[in-house]
């Protein structure tokens, strides 16, 4: 039986990469007078590197006008990331980033039913806090629920290795004092699925803009979003593929059918090919 839902942030709660981070990175480049711009296609490739600062550093070698030395590159990446985060929050404040359809309803349903909920992300804490502040609105910590909607948030600063390493998930399980089988993760990316899976946590995937066509191995179910029962594999168990959104009943039924015998023991990080997860100091 599920006792806690573990929510990824970027791509799962909101289309933050498409509507927030990518344009904010480009704002940061422009604010420093750099003639660089990440197209949607290029950003899709760069998402294989988790962590905003790590992503900038991984791209610097492709620019002939980037600084030559490692300390200079490090300083530039740090400053660009700082500016990107300011631009990201500005976009949130302007209302450019909203919760994905069906997210609010499932969050509310889970809270009403007394489930524990936690954030498990490798994004910076400030960016998570800004998203919750602006996009959750009255559902936030001062909202109508007696206790905070999210009991805890494991963020990028809390881990040594970012997703697809399982550390964020193993830390969340430890802090919640729950075994993997008492939890269910909601993710959008192959890195997120690998991270949860390697911690022994079953995962439901809501595909996001940048991972629409990626192969997702090992998920309980994969679908186009929590707002619809159509297009899911396997078909939502509670009420089939008819009208309406994905409910807690669907998650519980999917999870009940999961074979934990072969996945309970935390496995070594199953890193999808081409993903980087080393965290910078
Ligand atoms: C999120 C990330 C982050 C964001 C940017 O991955 O990879 O790096 O793109 O956030 P996930 P920061 O959804 O798997 O948690 O700039 O704060 O790193
Ligand atoms: Mg994600």
């Amino acid at each position: 039986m599920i006792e806690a839902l573990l929510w990824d942030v970027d791509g799962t709660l909101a289309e933050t990469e498409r509507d927030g981070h990518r344009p904010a990175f480009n704002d940061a480049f422009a604010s420093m007078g750099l003639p660089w711009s990440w197209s949607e296609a290029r950003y899709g490739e760069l998402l294989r590197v988790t962590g905003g600062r790590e992503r900038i550093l991984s791209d610097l070698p492709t620019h002939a006008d980037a600084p030559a030395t490692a300390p200079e590159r490090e300083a530039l990446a740090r400053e660009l990331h700082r500016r990107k985060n300011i631009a990201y929050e500005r976009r949130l404040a302007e209302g450019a980033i909203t919760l994905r359809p069906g997210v609010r309803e499932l969050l509310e349903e889970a809270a009403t039913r007394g489930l524990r909920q936690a954030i498990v992300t490798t994004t910076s804490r400030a960016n998570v806090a800004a998203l919750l502040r602006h996009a959750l609105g009255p559902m936030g910590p001062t909202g109508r629920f007696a206790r905070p909607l999210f009991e805890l948030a494991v963020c990028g600063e809390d881990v040594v290795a970012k997703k697809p390493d399982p550390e964020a998930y193993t830390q969340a399980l430890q802090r919640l004092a729950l075994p993997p089988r008492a939890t269910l993760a909601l993710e959008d990316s192959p890195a997120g699925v690998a991270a949860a899976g390697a911690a022994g946590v079953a995962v439901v995937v809501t595909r996001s803009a940048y991972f629409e066509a990626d192969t997702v191995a090992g998920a309980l179910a994969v679908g186009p979003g929590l707002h619809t029962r159509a297009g899911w594999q396997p078909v939502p168990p509670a009420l089939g593929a008819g009208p309406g959104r994905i409910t807690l009943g669907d998650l519980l039924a999917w999870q009940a059918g999961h074979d934990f015998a072969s996945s309970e023991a935390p496995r070594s990080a199953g890193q999808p090919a081409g993903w980087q997860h080393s965290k910078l100091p």
Side-chain angles (χ1 to χ4, degrees):
M1 180 66 181
I2 302 174
E3 290 180 47
L5 293 184
L6 309 181
W7 291 86
D8 169 51
V9 172
D10 294 293
T12 299
L13 287 183
E15 287 282 8
T16 49
E17 303 290 7
R18 184 192 64 192
D19 302 336
H21 291 296
R22 186 187 73 89
F25 278 114
N26 288 335
D27 289 347
F29 298 144
S31 78
M32 294 192 74
L34 292 165
W36 306 343
S37 181
W38 285 346
S39 67
E40 294 219 357
R42 177 67 182 140
Y43 195 67
E45 295 167 5
L46 287 166
L47 279 175
R48 267 66 192 167
V49 181
T50 49
R53 191 160 57 93
E54 290 88 340
R55 194 167 298 143
I56 296 167
L57 272 173
S58 78
D59 188 50
L60 288 184
T62 69
H63 297 285
D65 51 344
T69 69
E72 283 173 322
R73 287 186 179 198
E74 176 53 45
L76 177 60
R78 204 173 281 280
E79 178 58 17
L80 282 169
H81 190 237
R82 190 185 72 78
R83 290 178 185 229
K84 185 278 285 182
N85 289 346
I86 293 169
Y88 178 74
E89 173 143 23
R90 189 169 59 238
R91 285 176 179 275
L92 274 166
E94 289 166 0
I97 311 161
T98 53
L99 294 181
R100 287 183 64 185
V103 165
R104 183 178 297 275
E105 291 84 349
L106 187 58
L107 282 168
E108 280 197 342
E109 186 187 2
T112 305
R113 296 262 303 263
L115 252 75
R116 301 167 73 190
Q117 301 190 80
I119 295 276
V120 183
T121 179
T122 41
T123 294
S124 314
R125 185 169 295 278
N127 290 337
V128 176
L131 178 74
L132 298 185
R133 199 162 53 243
H134 291 288
L136 273 184
M139 283 178 68
T142 55
R144 66 184 178 81
F145 295 103
R147 52 181 196 198
L149 200 58
F150 295 109
E151 186 175 326
L152 60 92
V154 179
C155 301
E157 292 89 338
D158 302 324
V159 296
V160 174
K162 295 187 175 181
K163 297 175 188 176
D165 192 281
E167 185 183 352
Y169 278 100
T170 51
Q171 195 183 123
L173 293 171
Q174 204 172 18
R175 288 169 62 183
L176 289 165
L178 288 175
R181 65 167 60 240
T183 66
L184 178 74
L186 291 137
E187 280 279 0
D188 70 304
S189 70
V193 174
V201 174
V203 199
V204 167
V205 175
T206 64
R207 286 194 181 278
S208 62
Y210 280 108
F211 301 107
E212 257 167 2
D214 286 61
T215 306
V216 184
L220 271 187
V222 182
L226 295 170
H227 62 294
T228 178
R229 308 180 64 76
W232 281 84
Q233 281 298 330
V235 168
L239 296 165
R245 65 176 177 87
I246 295 298
T247 63
L248 196 53
D250 293 311
L251 301 186
L252 295 172
W254 270 324
Q255 211 246 15
H258 182 58
D259 175 18
F260 278 99
S262 57
S263 59
E264 177 86 359
R267 301 186 296 272
S268 61
Q271 186 170 340
W275 286 78
Q276 295 176 29
H277 65 106
S278 55
K279 193 188 160 187
L280 295 164

